[in-house]
Each structure stands twice: as C-alpha cells, then as structure tokens.
Amino acid sequence: MNDNALILISNQQLFELITQALIGVLKDVPYTSPSQQNEELLTRNEAAEMLNVTPTTLTKYVKQGRLKAGGADRKYLFMKSDLLKFMFNRK
C-alpha cells in the first residue's frame, strides 16, 4: 500500500496548519525573561508594527490587561520579550 497522497489546500489552510503546529511546539518551551537592564524597549508604534496591529488596537490590549506596558506621561513603552510572548500565546 502506498502512503503517499496529494492533498490540495489553500494558502490560508496551510498557514493555519503551520501556525497550529508551531503553537503546539512552542507552548512547551519555558519562557525566561531576559534581565531588565538588557531588555529592549519599544514605543507604541514600534510595538504595533511588530504585532501587525494598529496602535489603537495595541492600546485596547493594554486596557484589557492582555498586554503589559510601562512609561510616563501617557506614553507607553513595551518590553520586546513581552510582545514576543504575547505573539506566541495569541490565538
């Protein structure tokens, strides 16, 4: 019996399959935060670009408690490690 088969799927279906496989593998990788002194900080616009969302959506995530931010004078700063963790835990 031949186990080889050709399956046709869309680009979106392939993307979803790969994403789910990566999430399955990466969820078991322990997260260790780098030391604060070596941590790269990103502005609101830089963080939004990294997550591929609008700055408004990013602010909404902060207000909902889904994402941590710091800063002063209503200017958010985001730790790159927090953004990476958020990216891999987002579904």
Side-chain angles (χ1 to χ4, degrees), residues 2-14:
N2 187 352
D3 290 336
N4 295 329
L6 179 61
I7 300 172
L8 297 176
I9 60 173
S10 69
N11 289 344
Q12 182 63 33
Q13 290 170 316
L14 178 60

Side-chain angles (χ1 to χ4, degrees), residues 18-34:
I18 292 170
T19 300
Q20 290 304 315
L22 284 171
I23 289 171
V25 170
L26 292 174
K27 71 177 177 147
D28 296 329
V29 175
Y31 174 75
T32 53
S33 179

Side-chain angles (χ1 to χ4, degrees), residues 48-71:
E49 185 176 333
M50 180 177 168
L51 296 179
N52 199 29
V53 298
T54 66
T56 303
T57 299
L58 190 67
T59 299
K60 188 185 324 179
Y61 290 162
V62 172
K63 289 181 180 179
Q64 292 171 346
R66 295 174 60 191
L67 192 56
K68 292 190 285 184

Side-chain angles (χ1 to χ4, degrees), residues 41-49 58 75-78 83:
L41 296 176
L42 301 175
T43 65
R44 181 173 164 240
N45 288 337
E46 291 169 333
E49 185 176 333
L58 190 67
K75 292 187 180 174
Y76 289 145
L77 291 175
F78 298 87
L83 296 172

